[in-house]
Amino acid sequence: MKESEFIERFIKKGYTKRAAKIIIEDFTDTVMESLADGEDIHFYGFGSFGIKEVKEHEMVQVHTKERIVVPGYKMPKFTPGVQFKRAVREGIVRE
């Protein structure tokens, strides 16, 4: 689903297009800012956003057989909550 299609779902719920865009942009910006600041985010039933630290490790370049060191880095992760997993597995009842 593209962002424009996601916004359309908000519009069907009674939001204006402008309000829907602001909500989505503010939510995503706040998540990224919080994770960049080292904070985890937990939404009961929905899931958790956090940071996974990948340690420095060695790899072998396939073509040259040369060993290279990949520096450590941080990557975002999302862990779905119980209600979220259930909704995806069983389908959500819509009114």
Side-chain angles (χ1 to χ4, degrees):
M1 175 183 301
K2 296 179 185 174
E3 183 179 354
S4 59
E5 296 167 326
F6 192 66
I7 289 171
E8 287 298 320
R9 297 238 180 151
F10 274 81
I11 292 170
K12 288 179 183 175
K13 293 180 183 249
Y15 293 92
T16 65
K17 185 174 184 176
R18 182 167 187 250
K21 278 184 165 184
I22 290 170
I23 291 167
I24 293 166
E25 287 174 7
D26 285 349
F27 175 79
T28 55
D29 289 347
T30 304
V31 168
M32 288 187 283
E33 290 167 4
S34 298
L35 293 178
D37 290 342
E39 300 174 275
D40 289 346
I41 304 165
H42 307 279
F43 294 104
Y44 178 77
F46 181 75
S48 301
F49 293 91
I51 295 290
K52 177 182 177 184
E53 301 226 10
V54 178
K55 295 180 182 178
E56 181 180 283
H57 58 281
E58 276 191 9
M59 290 180 60
V60 176
Q61 174 61 285
V62 179
H63 301 295
T64 64
K65 307 288 190 230
E66 177 186 359
R67 289 192 169 277
I68 54 174
V69 175
V70 178
Y73 58 94
K74 296 177 182 179
M75 71 182 324
K77 69 175 183 172
F78 174 74
T79 305
V82 174
Q83 292 172 341
F84 184 38
K85 288 192 267 190
R86 185 180 303 130
V88 170
R89 184 174 51 248
E90 299 171 7
I92 297 175
V93 177
R94 294 187 178 91
E95 298 169 6

